[in-house]
């Protein structure tokens, strides 16, 4: 038959047709296969995004080294840390919305305060003012110093905390020389100053100043004993021991005057004996030896002992000792 394909060619076409019919159902099955179910396993990329780190409040918003600061906000994690400038500070995380930290010893100034989470997320920075470390003065020992005390008896120790090598003692507002013992103790010698109540403070480098403590300088004269001393032809010494005597102190002598016939008391003679030159009409005088001793040169008109009282008065501040009874000629 003219135009017919050769037998081998017809056989090859027949085989190809059979193969096509055999594979056709497979192609249809692929087209109708439903989509595979999605894998429910969460990948890091598909994980829920962590909330942003935010600071909503800072309590207190300023302070000094050693205090505790509490932050409230959102997005805190157990490993969230605090930064003050370039200094990383461990934080105590109380929950996802609250944490606290203690301010370390840093130089005073203005710092950027922000938080950093372990995933690298950071909060917005806020200004935090760091004040100089404030000294705390708790007590002075002793708190009463005798005005005429000398040497070690004038030394006072201030107990407290946060003292530094360069700390100064302020006495009535003026800086005086002091000695640094530790962060909890300073000492100084009380200056020669008028008696009364005085103010003591501590000032740290950076001008942070402690509260005020009171120190009393006791300038009131006090007589502890009166004894007879050297005797001369017409007078003898009456030695007066005590404290806070001054070079211009006055000795007040009160003697009861009575008639020889009757013991009835008629009056009291009062003499004021000073350390200045005695007038020509008065031979008795007072010798200043030191702040603990005076000598009264007494000219008795009789050798018979009598009772009288003495008192020391300091004119400069009006201080008066108690009256002391004496039995002497």
């Amino acid at each position: 038959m003219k135009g017919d394909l050769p037998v081998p060619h017809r056989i090859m076409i027949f085989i190809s047709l059979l193969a096509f019919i055999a594979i056709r159902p497979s192609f249809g099955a692929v087209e109708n296969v439903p989509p595979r179910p999605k894998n429910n396993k969460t990948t890091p990329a598909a994980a829920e995004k962590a909330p942003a780190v935010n600071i909503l409040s800072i309590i207190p918003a300023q302070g000094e080294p050693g205090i505790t600061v509490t932050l409230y906000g959102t997005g805190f994690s157990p490993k969230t840390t605090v930064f003050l400038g370039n200094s990383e500070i461990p934080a105590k995380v109380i929950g996802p919305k609250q944490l606290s930290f203690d301010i370390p010893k840093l130089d005073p100034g203005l710092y950027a305060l922000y938080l950093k989470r372990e995933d690298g997320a950071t909060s917005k920075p806020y200004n935090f003012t760091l004040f100089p470390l404030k000294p705390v003065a708790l007590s002075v020992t002793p708190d009463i110093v005798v005005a005429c005390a000398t040497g070690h008896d004038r030394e006072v120790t201030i107990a407290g905390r946060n003292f530094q090598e360069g700390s100064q003692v302020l006495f009535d507002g003026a800086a005086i020389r002091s000695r640094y013992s530790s962060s909890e103790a300073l000492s100084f010698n009380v200056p020669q100053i008028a008696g009364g109540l005085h103010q003591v403070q501590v000032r740290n480098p950076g001008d942070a100043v402690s509260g005020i403590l009171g120190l009393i300088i006791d300038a009131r004269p006090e007589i502890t004993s009166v004894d007879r001393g050297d005797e001369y032809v017409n007078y003898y010494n009456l030695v007066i021991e005590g404290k806070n005597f001054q070079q211009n102190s006055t000795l007040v002598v009160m003697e009861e005057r009575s008639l020889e016939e009757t013991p009835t008391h008629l009056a009291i003679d009062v003499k004021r004996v000073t350390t200045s030159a005695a007038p020509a009409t008065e031979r008795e005088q007072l010798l200043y030896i030191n702040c603990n001793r005076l000598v009264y040169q007494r000219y008795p008109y009789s050798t018979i002992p009598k009772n009288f009282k003495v008192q020391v008065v300091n004119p400069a501040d009006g201080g008066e000792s108690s009256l002391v009874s004496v039995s002497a000629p």
Side-chain angles (χ1 to χ4, degrees), residues 53-58 69 71-72 74 76 79-91 99-101 110-117 120-129:
V53 183
N54 288 318
I55 299 175
L56 300 179
S57 66
I58 305 172
V69 177
L71 304 181
Y72 295 91
T74 60
F76 302 166
K79 295 184 179 180
T80 298
T81 56
V82 180
F83 278 82
L84 274 178
N86 296 325
S87 299
E88 184 175 6
I89 306 169
L99 62 78
S100 63
F101 67 96
L110 185 64
Y111 288 80
L113 169 62
Y114 64 95
L115 300 178
K116 184 175 182 180
R117 206 164 49 200
T122 60
S123 70
K124 176 184 175 182
Y126 291 87
N127 288 335
F128 189 91
T129 301

Side-chain angles (χ1 to χ4, degrees), residues 15 17 23-24 38 46 51 89 115 153 203-204 207 237 241 302 317 323 328:
I15 294 173
L17 182 60
I23 65 172
R24 185 176 178 182
K38 294 182 179 179
I89 306 169
L115 300 178
D153 292 335
R203 181 173 64 193
N204 275 358
D207 293 334
N237 290 337
E241 303 278 356
S302 171
D317 54 18
L323 289 169

Side-chain angles (χ1 to χ4, degrees), residues 109 126 155 313:
Y126 291 87
E155 183 174 299
V313 177

